[in-house]
Amino acid sequence: MARLEIITAPDPRLKIKAKPVAKVDAGLRRLMDDMLDTMYGSIGIGLAAPQVGVAQRVIVVDVAREGENPNPIRLANPEILWRSDEMMVANEGCLSLPEHYAEVDRPAAIRLRYVDHENEIREIDAAGLLATCLQHEVDHLDGVLFVDHLSALKRGMILRKLQKAKRSRVLEKA
Ligand code: NI
């Protein structure tokens, strides 16, 4: 497995609509494993392929808590089939928006269909943290970041700070 470089916002590659996967083959399984490696290495609970520069509909998540057994889920072409009317507010972060967090309101439960790492079609019912995480990652496949759920004022503030941080990183490297 290999660690991949995570793209940070603002970046046009985070705003594209990712393409569906034709088949989950060995190459795609390797991408999923590399994404998991990258996610665990960054202490994240979810990662979407566009965040590592791959414009395909692939995400990985693991919401197991510290001390629990790892529970990685590899998903291709995830599709939300049902959303609860009940909403839930969660404090969200994102590996592509390092050090920024905000409360986001989303459906509290969802049903999702996806293709697993063995190219089998599966369905999953998710609630709580898993539901939040899956919705956040599926958003990435449509070029939507958690800040896009906030007011323009809050979003602008966070993106400007990220842009500034990015510029100073470039200067450090120069
Ligand atoms: Ni994210």
Side-chain angles (χ1 to χ4, degrees):
M1 292 208 278
R3 287 229 203 145
L4 308 167
E5 196 183 330
I6 298 176
I7 296 168
T8 56
D11 189 301
R13 290 170 292 177
L14 295 173
K15 301 305 295 173
I16 49 112
K17 193 170 165 73
K19 295 245 166 21
V21 164
K23 183 177 189 267
V24 178
D25 56 12
L28 217 64
R29 269 194 293 280
R30 192 171 321 121
L31 170 68
M32 289 167 159
D33 286 342
D34 288 347
M35 284 170 61
L36 278 171
D37 208 18
T38 306
M39 181 189 86
Y40 290 131
S42 308
I43 325 287
I45 59 171
L47 190 67
Q51 292 180 274
V52 293
V54 178
Q56 297 201 71
R57 301 188 80 79
V58 173
I59 64 176
V60 295
V61 303
D62 187 345
V63 298
R65 288 171 206 284
E66 218 184 313
E68 289 179 358
N69 287 330
N71 185 25
I73 312 177
R74 301 159 174 88
L75 311 92
N77 301 343
E79 190 189 338
I80 297 174
L81 303 175
W82 172 83
R83 296 169 169 86
S84 65
D85 291 331
E86 191 198 334
M87 303 291 280
M88 191 181 85
V89 176
N91 195 34
E92 295 190 23
C94 180
L95 294 176
S96 291
L97 292 87
E99 290 165 45
H100 289 277
Y101 301 88
E103 301 214 313
V104 179
D105 204 13
R106 298 185 190 268
I110 58 165
R111 173 168 296 156
L112 181 140
R113 182 187 293 150
Y114 66 100
V115 179
D116 75 4
H117 56 292
E118 288 169 326
N119 204 45
E120 299 288 334
I121 295 174
R122 290 181 180 277
E123 281 187 20
I124 184 174
D125 287 309
L129 181 60
L130 182 58
T132 296
C133 183
L134 286 169
Q135 290 174 85
H136 174 121
E137 300 312 328
V138 171
D139 266 359
H140 273 298
L141 304 180
D142 295 318
V144 175
L145 304 175
F146 81 82
V147 289
D148 294 318
H149 293 279
L150 309 178
S151 68
L153 185 73
K154 274 192 200 164
R155 177 169 57 249
M157 217 157 65
I158 292 177
L159 289 175
R160 270 194 304 280
K161 281 185 188 158
L162 285 163
Q163 177 76 63
K164 217 168 140 188
K166 196 177 259 198
R167 237 180 272 136
S168 62
R169 268 201 308 278
V170 170
L171 287 176
E172 275 167 26
K173 278 188 200 162

